[in-house]
Amino acid sequence: MSASSPSPRRVAIVGATGAVGREMVDVLHRRSFPVAELGLFASERSAGRTVETPFGEKTLVAFDVEKVKGYDIVLLAVSGDFAKEHAPAIAAGGALVIDNSSAFRYDDNVPLIVPEINAHAMGAIEQGKGKLIANPNCTTAIAVVALGPLHKAFGLKRVIVSTYQATSGAGAEGMAELEEQTRNQLDGKPVVNSVFRHPIPFNLIPQIDAFQENGYTKEEMKVTWETRKILEIPDLPVSCTAVRIPTYRAHSEAITVETLSPVTPDAARAVLADAPGVVVKDVPADGVYPMPLNATGQFDVEVGRIRTSLIFGDHGLDLFVCGDQLLKGAALNAVQIAELSL
Amino acid sequence: MSASSPSPRRVAIVGATGAVGREMVDVLHRRSFPVAELGLFASERSAGRTVETPFGEKTLVAFDVEKVKGYDIVLLAVSGDFAKEHAPAIAAGGALVIDNSSAFRYDDNVPLIVPEINAHAMGAIEQGKGKLIANPNCTTAIAVVALGPLHKAFGLKRVIVSTYQATSGAGAEGMAELEEQTRNQLDGKPVVNSVFRHPIPFNLIPQIDAFQENGYTKEEMKVTWETRKILEIPDLPVSCTAVRIPTYRAHSEAITVETLSPVTPDAARAVLADAPGVVVKDVPADGVYPMPLNATGQFDVEVGRIRTSLIFGDHGLDLFVCGDQLLKGAALNAVQIAELSL
């Protein structure tokens, strides 16, 4: 943000009724984003319904690409197919478009931004001249706020990630299925699954998104591809196992890194303590470490369990991170990208 | 087992009222172990109570080292301190003692056995001459039934494990706390924790057992130490992150291995399909992979998500395993050890 007060912007959210869309409204308010006007766009089905927001009562508007074009900033919380169809036209109309889908993330011409890490990759933003920016995958966004500073300080050579992902990654319906079906299981009623491929209560599912030819899921490959792009290390070996677990909205990740320079847990802690978007939660003897229970609703990503790798010795670390999937994993990061344009 | 019918044995279970002790009774029956007499030992508090078992109604007996000494086989499902105090005396009395605690696992004179992997390490068992055998940590036992065959075929160079551990690891009380507190959370009542250090419903806890000086928990180091001892690779680099998740009784593990020889997923699948104690569940396109939902109550460890490592290339694999913590992770393995003595 510039030192002087930035001029308020007209902001549209497309997909405003979804879990991410609703968080976007909330985050704009929590971060005092200068909103001149807020347009909430949704499907025909929801159009006309009024919703209470921190910006007052708003009426949901049926999405129409022409109506959306008039806004300064357009936050897309929609499917990849929807984004692919409409995002370029909206950007061509002059808006800064921040797309939460994966549609454009691997396009060399589209910046993929985590503001704490690669704000420089945004390029020039001129008001009235549209631009399309991709918001990263939730697991990746949460990981890189810790990995970026470690890379800067010690150089990353290899990264191995195992995830513990919340049901919010499947939207509000995912969280609702967890709650309803857990209640059914406790009450001895039949447990059914429609959002998830298998029942999620008291279970885990080692599949998120579709399987690729190499045996990894698309979710797992997103972590590889997007970490490389955001950290600007095109050939960084990154491997991920992505697992859905019965939690609501904070993703956790067990991460092993090999570094180019020697590293100690204390040096890593010092680097991460100074890193934006990170809060070090690492007093294990006192039971202080990252957990969904505490990370939920928080902007910062919790990092802890920092220790010397038993595999890579003084050139490696094990760590554990936890961040709110709907915030740093989606809505917060999108709003932070919008802030870069102020 | 010898070809001729083995002579029935007098079997005692110490700690018979706990989650593992109860499973031991059940497993002896499920596997048609030749039981001449079954003695169920418990604390003074439980003594005199009768319990229904597949071997008929039994009366719980207060533990007394002299009473237990008379049995051929003594399965200990007790604390490490209790085992340390009594196991040597019981073995000295002539019984084959199989201890489920960690008390003797790292003693060079005590075999640590997973029958599918290192039955040869049992040494001679002579009836009437007592012997003490250690039953491994649950996470380790589940991992090594997959790692052992892979080591034999391709050679293991490094192993990285992230766990998704069930509440049964904290006994029947752990499972009860998960159920009761989940219900409280759904009903909007206060959620309390007494078994676990933090609330477990819809949360995870990246701590199992106490922290060691190197920043790893004792649970994590058990996986390192015990995998090395069972696989007989004293210096194998093994690193673990152990995490408690809100599931009941099956542990899952995301495992990355680097191998000495080149390996392909197909070759690994072929090796594992022939491995005892393992069932390959690896048709990801059809949603077939290891999950607690299916592994619960099963003797075999499920192995799937087998793919070429993005880190170690053709000298590495990623895989996912899931096994019942109370069965292969405890009671089943103990009974299998007893079977080796028949």
Side-chain angles (χ1 to χ4, degrees), chain B residues 46-69:
Chain B
S46 301
R49 194 153 59 78
T50 58
V51 288
E52 282 301 329
T53 81
F55 299 93
E57 195 178 88
K58 298 278 168 188
T59 302
L60 295 167
V61 180
F63 174 79
D64 178 311
V65 71
E66 292 308 318
K67 277 189 199 152
V68 170
K69 272 182 184 172

PDB file of all heavy atoms in Angstrom, chain B residues 46-69:
ATOM      1  N   SER B  46     -10.271 -54.753  39.015  1.00  0.00           N
ATOM      2  CA  SER B  46     -11.126 -55.547  38.118  1.00  0.00           C
ATOM      3  C   SER B  46     -11.262 -56.993  38.576  1.00  0.00           C
ATOM      4  O   SER B  46     -12.142 -57.717  38.086  1.00  0.00           O
ATOM      5  CB  SER B  46     -10.540 -55.537  36.706  1.00  0.00           C
ATOM      6  OG  SER B  46     -10.446 -54.220  36.223  1.00  0.00           O
ATOM      7  N   ALA B  47     -10.389 -57.431  39.472  1.00  0.00           N
ATOM      8  CA  ALA B  47     -10.346 -58.851  39.840  1.00  0.00           C
ATOM      9  C   ALA B  47     -11.693 -59.327  40.366  1.00  0.00           C
ATOM     10  O   ALA B  47     -12.407 -58.589  41.049  1.00  0.00           O
ATOM     11  CB  ALA B  47      -9.258 -59.085  40.887  1.00  0.00           C
ATOM     12  N   GLY B  48     -12.052 -60.549  39.985  1.00  0.00           N
ATOM     13  CA  GLY B  48     -13.314 -61.138  40.441  1.00  0.00           C
ATOM     14  C   GLY B  48     -14.450 -60.913  39.458  1.00  0.00           C
ATOM     15  O   GLY B  48     -15.446 -61.642  39.479  1.00  0.00           O
ATOM     16  N   ARG B  49     -14.307 -59.924  38.607  1.00  0.00           N
ATOM     17  CA  ARG B  49     -15.329 -59.650  37.609  1.00  0.00           C
ATOM     18  C   ARG B  49     -15.288 -60.759  36.553  1.00  0.00           C
ATOM     19  O   ARG B  49     -14.223 -61.263  36.238  1.00  0.00           O
ATOM     20  CB  ARG B  49     -15.036 -58.286  36.957  1.00  0.00           C
ATOM     21  CG  ARG B  49     -16.158 -57.711  36.140  1.00  0.00           C
ATOM     22  CD  ARG B  49     -16.109 -56.170  36.090  1.00  0.00           C
ATOM     23  NE  ARG B  49     -14.876 -55.609  35.537  1.00  0.00           N
ATOM     24  CZ  ARG B  49     -14.589 -55.546  34.224  1.00  0.00           C
ATOM     25  NH1 ARG B  49     -15.425 -56.020  33.340  1.00  0.00           N
ATOM     26  NH2 ARG B  49     -13.464 -55.000  33.817  1.00  0.00           N
ATOM     27  N   THR B  50     -16.442 -61.150  36.040  1.00  0.00           N
ATOM     28  CA  THR B  50     -16.447 -62.147  34.967  1.00  0.00           C
ATOM     29  C   THR B  50     -16.641 -61.450  33.628  1.00  0.00           C
ATOM     30  O   THR B  50     -17.307 -60.417  33.548  1.00  0.00           O
ATOM     31  CB  THR B  50     -17.575 -63.187  35.150  1.00  0.00           C
ATOM     32  OG1 THR B  50     -18.813 -62.494  35.199  1.00  0.00           O
ATOM     33  CG2 THR B  50     -17.381 -63.986  36.425  1.00  0.00           C
ATOM     34  N   VAL B  51     -16.011 -62.009  32.607  1.00  0.00           N
ATOM     35  CA  VAL B  51     -16.150 -61.453  31.258  1.00  0.00           C
ATOM     36  C   VAL B  51     -16.486 -62.583  30.293  1.00  0.00           C
ATOM     37  O   VAL B  51     -16.037 -63.716  30.461  1.00  0.00           O
ATOM     38  CB  VAL B  51     -14.851 -60.738  30.794  1.00  0.00           C
ATOM     39  CG1 VAL B  51     -14.651 -59.436  31.543  1.00  0.00           C
ATOM     40  CG2 VAL B  51     -13.623 -61.637  30.956  1.00  0.00           C
ATOM     41  N   GLU B  52     -17.312 -62.232  29.294  1.00  0.00           N
ATOM     42  CA  GLU B  52     -17.638 -63.187  28.239  1.00  0.00           C
ATOM     43  C   GLU B  52     -16.500 -63.189  27.234  1.00  0.00           C
ATOM     44  O   GLU B  52     -16.052 -62.126  26.792  1.00  0.00           O
ATOM     45  CB  GLU B  52     -18.929 -62.768  27.520  1.00  0.00           C
ATOM     46  CG  GLU B  52     -20.202 -63.084  28.271  1.00  0.00           C
ATOM     47  CD  GLU B  52     -20.365 -64.579  28.565  1.00  0.00           C
ATOM     48  OE1 GLU B  52     -19.883 -65.399  27.747  1.00  0.00           O
ATOM     49  OE2 GLU B  52     -20.944 -64.904  29.616  1.00  0.00           O
ATOM     50  N   THR B  53     -15.995 -64.347  26.860  1.00  0.00           N
ATOM     51  CA  THR B  53     -14.970 -64.450  25.823  1.00  0.00           C
ATOM     52  C   THR B  53     -15.357 -65.576  24.875  1.00  0.00           C
ATOM     53  O   THR B  53     -16.228 -66.390  25.199  1.00  0.00           O
ATOM     54  CB  THR B  53     -13.583 -64.783  26.425  1.00  0.00           C
ATOM     55  OG1 THR B  53     -13.512 -66.192  26.671  1.00  0.00           O
ATOM     56  CG2 THR B  53     -13.308 -64.011  27.716  1.00  0.00           C
ATOM     57  N   PRO B  54     -14.697 -65.616  23.704  1.00  0.00           N
ATOM     58  CA  PRO B  54     -14.964 -66.738  22.788  1.00  0.00           C
ATOM     59  C   PRO B  54     -14.551 -68.075  23.397  1.00  0.00           C
ATOM     60  O   PRO B  54     -14.904 -69.127  22.870  1.00  0.00           O
ATOM     61  CB  PRO B  54     -14.099 -66.411  21.563  1.00  0.00           C
ATOM     62  CG  PRO B  54     -13.749 -64.972  21.690  1.00  0.00           C
ATOM     63  CD  PRO B  54     -13.725 -64.657  23.140  1.00  0.00           C
ATOM     64  N   PHE B  55     -13.802 -68.019  24.501  1.00  0.00           N
ATOM     65  CA  PHE B  55     -13.397 -69.249  25.198  1.00  0.00           C
ATOM     66  C   PHE B  55     -14.309 -69.526  26.395  1.00  0.00           C
ATOM     67  O   PHE B  55     -13.962 -70.288  27.275  1.00  0.00           O
ATOM     68  CB  PHE B  55     -11.937 -69.136  25.653  1.00  0.00           C
ATOM     69  CG  PHE B  55     -10.962 -68.942  24.519  1.00  0.00           C
ATOM     70  CD1 PHE B  55     -10.567 -67.667  24.121  1.00  0.00           C
ATOM     71  CD2 PHE B  55     -10.469 -70.039  23.821  1.00  0.00           C
ATOM     72  CE1 PHE B  55      -9.682 -67.490  23.071  1.00  0.00           C
ATOM     73  CE2 PHE B  55      -9.578 -69.866  22.768  1.00  0.00           C
ATOM     74  CZ  PHE B  55      -9.191 -68.584  22.386  1.00  0.00           C
ATOM     75  N   GLY B  56     -15.443 -68.882  26.438  1.00  0.00           N
ATOM     76  CA  GLY B  56     -16.374 -69.045  27.553  1.00  0.00           C
ATOM     77  C   GLY B  56     -16.232 -67.924  28.569  1.00  0.00           C
ATOM     78  O   GLY B  56     -15.429 -67.007  28.398  1.00  0.00           O
ATOM     79  N   GLU B  57     -17.026 -67.999  29.608  1.00  0.00           N
ATOM     80  CA  GLU B  57     -16.995 -66.974  30.654  1.00  0.00           C
ATOM     81  C   GLU B  57     -15.725 -67.141  31.482  1.00  0.00           C
ATOM     82  O   GLU B  57     -15.375 -68.262  31.859  1.00  0.00           O
ATOM     83  CB  GLU B  57     -18.238 -67.119  31.534  1.00  0.00           C
ATOM     84  CG  GLU B  57     -18.496 -65.908  32.411  1.00  0.00           C
ATOM     85  CD  GLU B  57     -19.773 -66.087  33.225  1.00  0.00           C
ATOM     86  OE1 GLU B  57     -19.684 -66.646  34.332  1.00  0.00           O
ATOM     87  OE2 GLU B  57     -20.832 -65.656  32.738  1.00  0.00           O
ATOM     88  N   LYS B  58     -15.040 -66.056  31.710  1.00  0.00           N
ATOM     89  CA  LYS B  58     -13.786 -66.112  32.473  1.00  0.00           C
ATOM     90  C   LYS B  58     -13.857 -65.126  33.637  1.00  0.00           C
ATOM     91  O   LYS B  58     -14.489 -64.070  33.526  1.00  0.00           O
ATOM     92  CB  LYS B  58     -12.595 -65.717  31.580  1.00  0.00           C
ATOM     93  CG  LYS B  58     -12.373 -66.636  30.404  1.00  0.00           C
ATOM     94  CD  LYS B  58     -11.608 -67.874  30.806  1.00  0.00           C
ATOM     95  CE  LYS B  58     -11.650 -68.913  29.692  1.00  0.00           C
ATOM     96  NZ  LYS B  58     -11.074 -70.190  30.133  1.00  0.00           N
ATOM     97  N   THR B  59     -13.200 -65.478  34.716  1.00  0.00           N
ATOM     98  CA  THR B  59     -13.115 -64.570  35.857  1.00  0.00           C
ATOM     99  C   THR B  59     -11.743 -63.899  35.855  1.00  0.00           C
ATOM    100  O   THR B  59     -10.712 -64.576  35.753  1.00  0.00           O
ATOM    101  CB  THR B  59     -13.303 -65.338  37.182  1.00  0.00           C
ATOM    102  OG1 THR B  59     -14.577 -65.988  37.146  1.00  0.00           O
ATOM    103  CG2 THR B  59     -13.269 -64.381  38.371  1.00  0.00           C
ATOM    104  N   LEU B  60     -11.766 -62.567  35.941  1.00  0.00           N
ATOM    105  CA  LEU B  60     -10.498 -61.824  35.953  1.00  0.00           C
ATOM    106  C   LEU B  60      -9.783 -62.079  37.273  1.00  0.00           C
ATOM    107  O   LEU B  60     -10.389 -62.064  38.348  1.00  0.00           O
ATOM    108  CB  LEU B  60     -10.766 -60.329  35.782  1.00  0.00           C
ATOM    109  CG  LEU B  60     -11.377 -59.933  34.426  1.00  0.00           C
ATOM    110  CD1 LEU B  60     -11.891 -58.502  34.459  1.00  0.00           C
ATOM    111  CD2 LEU B  60     -10.347 -60.102  33.307  1.00  0.00           C
ATOM    112  N   VAL B  61      -8.476 -62.299  37.163  1.00  0.00           N
ATOM    113  CA  VAL B  61      -7.659 -62.623  38.337  1.00  0.00           C
ATOM    114  C   VAL B  61      -6.709 -61.465  38.607  1.00  0.00           C
ATOM    115  O   VAL B  61      -6.135 -60.905  37.666  1.00  0.00           O
ATOM    116  CB  VAL B  61      -6.849 -63.918  38.075  1.00  0.00           C
ATOM    117  CG1 VAL B  61      -5.990 -64.280  39.274  1.00  0.00           C
ATOM    118  CG2 VAL B  61      -7.788 -65.060  37.702  1.00  0.00           C
ATOM    119  N   ALA B  62      -6.550 -61.111  39.872  1.00  0.00           N
ATOM    120  CA  ALA B  62      -5.589 -60.059  40.224  1.00  0.00           C
ATOM    121  C   ALA B  62      -4.187 -60.535  39.870  1.00  0.00           C
ATOM    122  O   ALA B  62      -3.814 -61.676  40.178  1.00  0.00           O
ATOM    123  CB  ALA B  62      -5.686 -59.727  41.708  1.00  0.00           C
ATOM    124  N   PHE B  63      -3.426 -59.663  39.234  1.00  0.00           N
ATOM    125  CA  PHE B  63      -2.077 -60.048  38.808  1.00  0.00           C
ATOM    126  C   PHE B  63      -1.219 -60.446  40.007  1.00  0.00           C
ATOM    127  O   PHE B  63      -1.189 -59.752  41.030  1.00  0.00           O
ATOM    128  CB  PHE B  63      -1.396 -58.904  38.057  1.00  0.00           C
ATOM    129  CG  PHE B  63       0.038 -59.212  37.730  1.00  0.00           C
ATOM    130  CD1 PHE B  63       0.351 -60.027  36.649  1.00  0.00           C
ATOM    131  CD2 PHE B  63       1.079 -58.741  38.532  1.00  0.00           C
ATOM    132  CE1 PHE B  63       1.673 -60.342  36.356  1.00  0.00           C
ATOM    133  CE2 PHE B  63       2.405 -59.051  38.237  1.00  0.00           C
ATOM    134  CZ  PHE B  63       2.698 -59.850  37.142  1.00  0.00           C
ATOM    135  N   ASP B  64      -0.530 -61.542  39.840  1.00  0.00           N
ATOM    136  CA  ASP B  64       0.415 -62.005  40.855  1.00  0.00           C
ATOM    137  C   ASP B  64       1.491 -62.747  40.088  1.00  0.00           C
ATOM    138  O   ASP B  64       1.210 -63.710  39.372  1.00  0.00           O
ATOM    139  CB  ASP B  64      -0.304 -62.943  41.834  1.00  0.00           C
ATOM    140  CG  ASP B  64       0.649 -63.492  42.892  1.00  0.00           C
ATOM    141  OD1 ASP B  64       1.742 -63.988  42.519  1.00  0.00           O
ATOM    142  OD2 ASP B  64       0.297 -63.432  44.076  1.00  0.00           O
ATOM    143  N   VAL B  65       2.722 -62.301  40.219  1.00  0.00           N
ATOM    144  CA  VAL B  65       3.793 -62.846  39.385  1.00  0.00           C
ATOM    145  C   VAL B  65       3.919 -64.365  39.566  1.00  0.00           C
ATOM    146  O   VAL B  65       4.193 -65.083  38.599  1.00  0.00           O
ATOM    147  CB  VAL B  65       5.122 -62.087  39.651  1.00  0.00           C
ATOM    148  CG1 VAL B  65       5.683 -62.424  41.020  1.00  0.00           C
ATOM    149  CG2 VAL B  65       6.132 -62.348  38.549  1.00  0.00           C
ATOM    150  N   GLU B  66       3.683 -64.838  40.745  1.00  0.00           N
ATOM    151  CA  GLU B  66       3.822 -66.286  40.978  1.00  0.00           C
ATOM    152  C   GLU B  66       2.731 -67.065  40.249  1.00  0.00           C
ATOM    153  O   GLU B  66       2.980 -68.136  39.698  1.00  0.00           O
ATOM    154  CB  GLU B  66       3.795 -66.595  42.482  1.00  0.00           C
ATOM    155  CG  GLU B  66       5.019 -66.067  43.240  1.00  0.00           C
ATOM    156  CD  GLU B  66       6.342 -66.516  42.602  1.00  0.00           C
ATOM    157  OE1 GLU B  66       6.444 -67.695  42.197  1.00  0.00           O
ATOM    158  OE2 GLU B  66       7.270 -65.675  42.477  1.00  0.00           O
ATOM    159  N   LYS B  67       1.516 -66.502  40.242  1.00  0.00           N
ATOM    160  CA  LYS B  67       0.402 -67.177  39.555  1.00  0.00           C
ATOM    161  C   LYS B  67       0.627 -67.222  38.048  1.00  0.00           C
ATOM    162  O   LYS B  67       0.250 -68.171  37.377  1.00  0.00           O
ATOM    163  CB  LYS B  67      -0.909 -66.433  39.821  1.00  0.00           C
ATOM    164  CG  LYS B  67      -1.585 -66.776  41.132  1.00  0.00           C
ATOM    165  CD  LYS B  67      -2.972 -66.157  41.179  1.00  0.00           C
ATOM    166  CE  LYS B  67      -3.446 -66.087  42.617  1.00  0.00           C
ATOM    167  NZ  LYS B  67      -4.386 -64.990  42.820  1.00  0.00           N
ATOM    168  N   VAL B  68       1.242 -66.173  37.524  1.00  0.00           N
ATOM    169  CA  VAL B  68       1.419 -66.064  36.072  1.00  0.00           C
ATOM    170  C   VAL B  68       2.539 -66.976  35.590  1.00  0.00           C
ATOM    171  O   VAL B  68       2.512 -67.485  34.464  1.00  0.00           O
ATOM    172  CB  VAL B  68       1.677 -64.584  35.694  1.00  0.00           C
ATOM    173  CG1 VAL B  68       2.101 -64.457  34.244  1.00  0.00           C
ATOM    174  CG2 VAL B  68       0.422 -63.749  35.967  1.00  0.00           C
ATOM    175  N   LYS B  69       3.501 -67.210  36.463  1.00  0.00           N
ATOM    176  CA  LYS B  69       4.674 -68.017  36.089  1.00  0.00           C
ATOM    177  C   LYS B  69       4.313 -69.415  35.582  1.00  0.00           C
ATOM    178  O   LYS B  69       5.055 -69.994  34.805  1.00  0.00           O
ATOM    179  CB  LYS B  69       5.619 -68.156  37.284  1.00  0.00           C
ATOM    180  CG  LYS B  69       6.643 -67.043  37.401  1.00  0.00           C
ATOM    181  CD  LYS B  69       7.561 -67.299  38.594  1.00  0.00           C
ATOM    182  CE  LYS B  69       8.535 -66.169  38.812  1.00  0.00           C
ATOM    183  NZ  LYS B  69       9.272 -66.349  40.078  1.00  0.00           N
TER     184      LYS B  69
END
